[in-house]
Amino acid sequence: MRTARTAATLMAVVALAAGCSSSGGKTSEDKADGSTGGKSAGTPRLKIAMVTHSGEGDTFWDIVQSGAKQAAAKDNVQFLYSNDKEAKGQAELVQSAIDKKVDGIVVTLAKPEAMKAVLAKAKDAGIPVVTINSGGEFSQRFGALTHIGQDESVAGEAVGRELDKRGRKKALCVIHEQGNVSLEQRCAGVKKTFKGTVENLNVEGTDAPSSQSSIEAKLQAAKDIDAVVALGAPTAAVAVKAKQDAGSEAEIDTFDLNAAVVKSLKAKDVGFAVDQQPYLQGYLAVDELWLYKTNANVIGGGKPVLTGPAIVTEKDVPKLEKYTARGTR
Amino acid sequence: MSAAAPGTPPLTDERLLKTSPLRKLMGRPELGSVVGAVAVFLFFAIFADSFLRASSLATVLYASSTIGIMAVPVALLMIGGEFDLSAGVMVTTSALISSMFSYQMTANVWVGVGVSLLLTLAIGVFNGVMLTRTDPPSFIITLGTFLMLTGMNLGFTKLISGTVSTKSISDMEGFSSAKDVFASTLTIGGVDFKITILWWLALIVVATWILLRTRVGNWIYAVGGGEDAARAVGVPVNKTKIGLYMGVAFGAWISGQHLLFSFDVVQSGEGVGNELIYIIAAVIGGCLITGGYGSAVGAAIGALIFGMTSKGIVFAEWNPDWFKFFLGAMLLLATLLNAWVRKRAEATK
């Protein structure tokens, strides 16, 4: 027993000593970082809560948060983030933010009807609300100051047009979260402007190997599919794998950016990406609440503020690479 | 044929009855699931045009193997009478450990893989020791581990990487050889097969050998059949259970490394919910939820049924909105068929 343990320790030490990688890894990471601390505004400390419908560990919401945190640091704001992918849970989180008597609430409206009642309560409590991301058409009706985000249908339509431009005939729209309204809207938008046919496929977004084999199966079953539209950056990486393994010639296109997608754009594994600037959604939402609290400003004058869609291709890679690597684009 | 006709009780002690090889086969726990698997296969062979192509079957086998690598050790654990709800996220944990360790230490990728093996096995030991040293059932203890791991996956990843996914390690030393081991593709007769299928088969062979040919196998059945009785006849109950949890951890390590090396980066939120799929595969394959009965081959066939059904529906190009309904209905039918076959088999014993 003892000798076994000593041997294991020895092996670990030897492995550590001999096991360094001369390429990649932390040491090669670029230390240059654009975000500076700086001084915050001299206004009184505010407390702003953001409640989203995100699942655990989605890169997109991470970027939204880093935008929000940057604005919070600038505006002397204490930023509180919480999320629940179940509509009921999200409403409860908004309620607890109201109970905490925060100075402002940022909320997503992926499941609008579920948020209606609790946002009315926020209004009664005199807490200003800014909605972000999807569900812009409900924002004003629910009493929010403004909406900052992307119209999902418009984004889908942009993808449809881009696919036409690229001469595609049959597209597969991969929905990674069944029953999510904004994802359905994206696919519907693609269908609206795309001259070819669009088919939908539901996959389990939290299980990459299972998603991959499902997309693979679909590409094997319908060999005439020449474009796969992923609705989120993590799904794009999975789709690239699936395409290679299925031996398909389809072009992979995606909604949203992250470091991996930018890499794939560069390697021409992904044709184009639709960016909705999540950083801006987080940043502007916090900034807007601060402006409202300190100067009664409303960005966009009550109209939704659009942060997308912007089509990003291989040509945009050089200027984006640095920012995606640090998680702000 | 010395056995009594179906329905009438045997006249002599059943242990003294001579059974024909056919009857013996009928009594195997995996028989029902084999019939279920054949039925599902024939169904999709008829209703999904592209299902019977070699490349399609390779895809189905890949999907089955990613479930099966975990379903086999989970089945052993269930035969031993326990659950592991942390099995799904443990896969992600294992992948995150090797990825982040290699990256942060700028170490050869294999070092990260080794560290990951040790730490993942340690999680298995933690589950086992907690279970054997304290009172609560495994359902509660591993539920705790499940939630803690889910939180740690996200928390540590954000703390270390700054984002919710790990950084790519594909340009680091050792990556390509590790990829060969855990996520490569073998071309046999022009068809691409994923290496996970080999891992899956190897696990089936080892698990079956342990169950049927070793003393440890007898211990596992004994512990699941009746813990106190097993302890009374000298079976090391605690050690057996800790070992079974380490088996699940080992499976999670293989699956985790596959996850890492096939996608280069790991999303920290993955794996939640898969623990149920592993348990379902084991149960479809003939494991009793109460323990003491089941087989590794059965669990593998359960995984195959799950894989065939979930991908078969896609091959059949049915309306995707109804996917989950079809999946549930097919699994229910396969399980009912399985139960019916087993009942008939037991009646004729």
Side-chain angles (χ1 to χ4, degrees):
Chain A
M1 192 66 202
R2 188 175 198 168
T3 42
R5 204 178 301 156
T6 321
T9 321
L10 264 176
M11 264 165 63
V13 170
V14 169
L16 276 176
C20 286
S21 172
S22 60
S23 57
K26 181 84 175 165
T27 25
S28 78
E29 196 177 337
D30 195 359
K31 287 277 179 338
D33 190 346
S35 57
T36 50
K39 264 214 178 108
S40 67
T43 49
R45 187 123 174 105
L46 296 175
K47 200 188 270 182
I48 291 175
M50 178 185 280
V51 184
T52 73
H53 65 276
S54 156
E56 298 297 326
D58 184 332
T59 45
F60 181 90
W61 293 101
D62 219 33
I63 303 172
V64 173
Q65 274 189 71
S66 56
K69 280 178 188 154
Q70 185 66 31
K74 177 181 77 82
D75 298 340
N76 191 23
V77 162
Q78 187 192 350
F79 175 69
L80 308 163
Y81 180 82
S82 54
N83 62 295
D84 197 317
K85 61 180 172 186
E86 302 288 331
K88 186 173 150 286
Q90 198 194 347
E92 280 163 11
L93 287 172
V94 175
Q95 180 60 50
S96 61
I98 297 171
D99 297 340
K100 268 186 253 173
K101 296 195 168 56
V102 295
D103 298 293
I105 296 174
V106 182
V107 72
T108 60
L109 295 180
K111 288 122 186 168
E113 293 310 321
M115 305 306 290
K116 197 172 169 180
V118 78
L119 289 185
K121 278 192 197 166
K123 204 178 177 189
D124 292 343
I127 300 172
V129 173
V130 168
T131 59
I132 59 166
N133 198 233
S134 58
E137 65 272 34
F138 300 96
S139 177
Q140 224 171 5
R141 218 189 310 155
F142 291 180
L145 284 180
T146 189
H147 178 81
I148 297 159
Q150 166 176 266
D151 188 312
E152 302 298 350
S153 313
V154 172
E157 287 164 22
V159 170
R161 274 191 293 273
E162 184 70 21
L163 288 173
D164 276 335
K165 222 197 290 175
R166 288 163 180 259
R168 302 287 144 183
K169 295 281 170 276
K170 188 174 181 184
L172 178 69
C173 203
V174 185
I175 298 175
H176 58 263
E177 204 187 307
Q178 199 170 358
N180 181 326
V181 181
S182 59
L183 298 185
E184 297 281 351
Q185 280 175 343
R186 288 176 175 185
C187 287
V190 176
K191 213 171 238 169
K192 198 170 161 195
T193 50
F194 184 44
K195 292 196 180 74
T197 51
V198 180
E199 279 191 28
N200 289 2
L201 176 71
N202 287 309
V203 299
E204 208 61 55
T206 52
D207 185 347
S210 158
S211 305
Q212 185 193 326
S213 47
S214 287
I215 298 170
E216 229 176 285
K218 182 72 189 179
L219 290 175
Q220 285 164 341
K223 294 214 180 266
D224 51 341
I225 290 173
D226 58 2
V228 177
V229 180
L231 299 185
T235 316
V238 172
V240 168
K241 278 267 159 207
K243 167 203 157 176
Q244 285 161 356
D245 289 345
S248 162
E249 293 296 314
E251 177 184 85
I252 313 292
D253 303 307
T254 182
F255 282 80
D256 301 342
L257 278 181
N258 67 9
V261 166
V262 170
K263 247 185 202 163
S264 315
L265 280 171
K266 200 176 178 184
K268 298 199 170 97
D269 285 333
V270 168
F272 66 90
V274 189
D275 188 20
Q276 58 167 313
Q277 308 194 75
Y279 186 83
L280 210 49
Q281 293 179 5
Y283 187 92
L284 283 182
V286 171
D287 221 21
E288 159 59 24
L289 285 167
W290 173 72
L291 283 167
Y292 182 77
K293 277 289 196 183
T294 56
N295 204 31
N297 286 127
V298 176
I299 303 176
K303 289 262 184 314
V305 179
L306 293 184
T307 59
I311 303 276
V312 175
T313 63
E314 177 209 348
K315 280 179 230 138
D316 306 296
V317 168
K319 78 169 179 259
L320 290 179
E321 240 174 347
K322 185 166 75 184
Y323 305 132
T324 50
R326 71 169 192 214
T328 57
R329 271 308 285 265
Chain B
M1 293 290 162
S2 58
T8 55
L11 299 171
T12 50
D13 189 331
E14 58 165 22
R15 286 170 297 185
L16 297 176
L17 286 176
K18 282 208 182 83
T19 45
S20 70
L22 184 70
R23 289 272 155 76
K24 249 184 199 160
L25 183 74
M26 296 281 276
R28 297 286 315 149
E30 55 273 84
L31 175 80
S33 57
V34 171
V35 175
V38 171
V40 171
F41 181 85
L42 289 177
F43 180 87
F44 283 110
I46 295 165
F47 288 100
D49 294 339
S50 41
F51 187 75
L52 273 184
R53 276 184 224 143
S55 59
S56 306
L57 294 177
T59 305
V60 167
L61 278 179
Y62 169 55
S64 310
S65 68
T66 56
I67 301 167
I69 286 173
M70 286 304 285
V72 169
V74 164
L76 256 57
L77 181 67
M78 283 177 70
I79 295 170
E82 303 296 345
F83 282 105
D84 189 349
L85 295 184
S86 66
V89 282
M90 204 194 290
V91 171
T92 315
T93 307
S94 185
L96 288 170
I97 293 171
S98 25
S99 168
M100 289 197 289
F101 188 89
S102 306
Y103 188 87
Q104 294 300 325
M105 300 292 159
T106 318
N108 186 303
V109 170
W110 279 104
V111 179
V113 171
V115 170
S116 169
L117 176 63
L118 293 179
L119 289 179
T120 313
L121 286 176
I123 299 170
V125 172
F126 173 81
N127 276 335
V129 170
M130 283 299 284
L131 177 78
T132 49
R133 290 282 164 81
T134 61
D135 255 352
S138 61
F139 209 77
I140 301 300
I141 285 176
T142 58
L143 181 72
T145 322
F146 158 67
L147 292 171
M148 287 194 292
L149 286 180
T150 312
M152 277 163 68
N153 283 354
L154 188 59
F156 273 118
T157 313
K158 277 208 86 166
L159 194 68
I160 294 170
S161 301
T163 66
V164 290
S165 60
T166 62
K167 302 222 164 76
S168 171
I169 57 165
S170 59
D171 54 350
M172 295 178 67
E173 271 172 27
F175 184 87
S176 58
S177 59
K179 190 175 177 134
D180 285 344
V181 173
F182 293 108
S184 59
T185 306
L186 310 167
T187 309
I188 302 165
V191 184
D192 293 337
F193 290 96
K194 284 292 172 77
I195 197 158
T196 47
I197 301 169
L198 286 185
W199 280 102
W200 182 35
L201 292 176
L203 279 179
I204 298 169
V205 170
V206 172
T208 306
W209 175 74
I210 290 176
L211 277 181
L212 300 181
R213 289 272 175 270
T214 69
R215 199 158 54 145
V216 177
N218 289 334
W219 290 348
I220 295 172
Y221 279 111
V223 165
E227 198 179 315
D228 294 331
R231 193 172 275 122
V233 296
V235 172
V237 173
N238 291 1
K239 273 189 187 160
T240 308
K241 287 196 172 173
I242 294 171
L244 287 172
Y245 275 103
M246 288 175 75
V248 175
F250 183 72
W253 175 72
I254 298 173
S255 299
Q257 305 317 303
H258 171 68
L259 189 67
L260 169 61
F261 291 107
S262 44
F263 299 105
D264 307 354
V265 290
V266 187
Q267 307 287 334
S268 60
E270 286 198 350
V272 177
N274 285 355
E275 62 282 347
L276 273 181
I277 292 175
Y278 308 144
I279 293 173
I280 291 166
V283 173
I284 295 174
C287 281
L288 281 186
I289 289 183
T290 46
Y293 185 81
S295 78
V297 175
I301 292 169
L304 185 64
I305 290 179
F306 202 92
M308 280 198 294
T309 313
S310 60
K311 303 310 151 192
I313 293 168
V314 180
F315 281 118
E317 303 204 271
W318 289 341
N319 185 338
D321 297 340
W322 291 82
F323 174 79
K324 288 272 168 74
F325 172 80
F326 292 137
L327 183 61
M330 291 291 298
L331 288 176
L332 195 59
L333 285 175
T335 315
L336 286 178
L337 184 65
N338 175 352
W340 179 77
V341 170
R342 198 187 310 159
K343 215 169 175 184
R344 296 298 300 255
E346 269 159 22
T348 55
K349 207 183 260 178

